[in-house]
Amino acid sequence: MSDTTAIKANASPLNRYGEMCAEVYVLDKPPGALGDIDYYREALGRLDGPFLEAACGSGRLMIPMLEAGLDVHGFDHSEHMLAQCRAAADERGLALKVQRTTYEDFSFEQRFGAIVSPVGSFALVNDYDAAAAALRRFHQHLRPGGRLFVDIMPLAYLTARPLDGVRSWTTPSGDLLRIVSNVVELDLLAQRRVSQDRYERWRGGRLVEQELEVLAVRCWGLKEFELTLKEAGFADISVCGDYRVGRALGPTARQWCFQAVKAG
Ligand SMILES: C[S@@+](CC[C@H](N)C(=O)[O-])C[C@H]1O[C@@H](n2cnc3c(N)ncnc32)[C@H](O)[C@@H]1O
């Protein structure tokens, strides 16, 4: 871990997902990427819509759900991630129903048959009280009998190696994009980890652009998340590892996939 001192509050808003971050997200995880697409297509396909994807971002999950004919709405706080989502939907002739808002503030008139928060995004709500309030808001926004899906990384993610590192991608136009990542805060009591990700664009051997992302995540204990779901009013809570429904959760799972029901 780097010994960089605490970040000044104005260095970058936390979990901003700015322009370069959104560009890299789509290069790294285009629509349809990762192992949760079939899991969600099958689970939502059995339920009645409309559905809501919290923090839908660039549409990695939402685009294949719309292509499957599912009525999915979404919200995200990053205009840059939503711009990528719009571009992906336009390319495919899909109509989007997304709003720019946050886990902390979202409010919709309709009630949903299911709400999904995939790929660990819920950990970006990095304060316990705010996260508990978001779960209560999910509960309010579900129809009786509606189902919540939240995938979170295990508590061990806080100290998972490597804590620091460099990753790179080449854009279609030949630019090199790099992320240089350093963990700058690790608070095991608050279950919170903060990293500084420096996004760099290299062209013709020159650094032509850079942006700083400060990412803060709060990880959960398994029982802690279950109890917080219960406190928010949910019942029939189940969890599996890595989208393998019906299989016992093992210690090496990379995602804990929770499902919970709003009593009918
Ligand atoms: C890991 S991405 C996931 C995007 C998409 N759901 C997917 O499955 O690929 C996390 C998303 O959370 C959004 N985000 C972070 N904090 C947020 C907040 N407090 N409220 C709403 N969205 C937030 C980011 O803008 C980003 O699009």
Side-chain angles (χ1 to χ4, degrees), residues 3 9 20 46 89 94 112 114 116 119 121 134 138 140 153 193 197 207 217 244 249:
D3 25 340
M20 290 183 75
R46 283 196 291 270
L94 296 167
F112 298 97
V116 309
V119 80
S121 309
F138 285 152
Q140 273 166 23
M153 44 283 214
R193 162 176 155 173
D197 290 350
L207 179 61
V217 294
R244 291 198 280 257
L249 180 61

Side-chain angles (χ1 to χ4, degrees), residues 45-259:
R46 283 196 291 270
L47 301 172
D48 292 326
F51 307 114
L52 176 68
E53 184 183 350
C56 59
S58 55
R60 179 198 63 82
L61 178 72
M62 176 177 278
I63 295 290
M65 296 304 114
L66 294 176
E67 286 176 324
L70 297 165
D71 181 12
V72 185
H73 300 231
F75 73 82
D76 197 282
H77 78 165
S78 161
E79 61 182 287
H80 301 290
M81 291 293 272
L82 289 176
Q84 294 283 357
C85 192
R86 275 193 203 96
D90 289 350
E91 246 173 52
R92 294 162 176 81
L94 296 167
L96 270 192
K97 293 182 227 169
V98 294
Q99 280 187 23
R100 188 165 173 220
T101 182
T102 65
Y103 279 107
E104 292 80 359
D105 288 324
F106 75 89
S107 171
F108 291 81
E109 276 184 8
Q110 62 268 69
R111 293 298 174 254
F112 298 97
I115 299 179
V116 309
S117 181
V119 80
S121 309
F122 194 72
L124 295 164
V125 186
N126 58 95
D127 168 81
Y128 179 85
D129 291 337
L135 292 180
R136 289 195 294 275
R137 205 167 302 110
F138 285 152
H139 189 268
Q140 273 166 23
H141 280 78
L142 283 167
R143 289 198 301 263
R147 192 167 276 267
L148 176 68
F149 298 79
V150 182
D151 306 330
I152 49 177
M153 44 283 214
L155 192 53
Y157 176 86
L158 283 177
T159 52
R161 306 276 154 186
L163 289 173
D164 300 332
V166 179
R167 287 183 297 153
S168 62
W169 297 261
T170 304
T171 67
S173 65
D175 289 350
L176 178 75
L177 297 180
R178 284 182 6 128
I179 307 180
V180 182
S181 193
N182 295 112
V183 172
V184 292
E185 241 181 84
L186 182 57
D187 183 338
L188 293 178
L189 285 182
Q191 298 164 209
R192 191 167 177 273
R193 162 176 155 173
V194 181
S195 53
Q196 291 176 352
D197 290 350
R198 195 174 72 229
Y199 283 72
E200 304 171 342
R201 183 190 304 281
W202 292 82
R203 186 177 299 153
R206 282 173 190 275
L207 179 61
V208 294
E209 190 182 0
Q210 50 185 326
E211 279 183 9
L212 182 70
E213 293 284 339
V214 183
L215 267 194
V217 294
R218 182 187 182 282
C219 293
W220 293 78
L222 192 62
K223 200 73 188 166
E224 178 194 23
F225 197 67
E226 184 189 327
L227 290 172
T228 312
L229 282 168
K230 270 191 190 148
E231 235 174 62
F234 288 99
D236 290 340
I237 299 165
S238 63
V239 58
C240 70
D242 300 327
Y243 317 105
R244 291 198 280 257
V245 181
R247 302 256 289 271
L249 180 61
T252 56
R254 292 158 65 94
Q255 289 281 325
W256 292 343
C257 308
F258 277 90
Q259 295 192 28

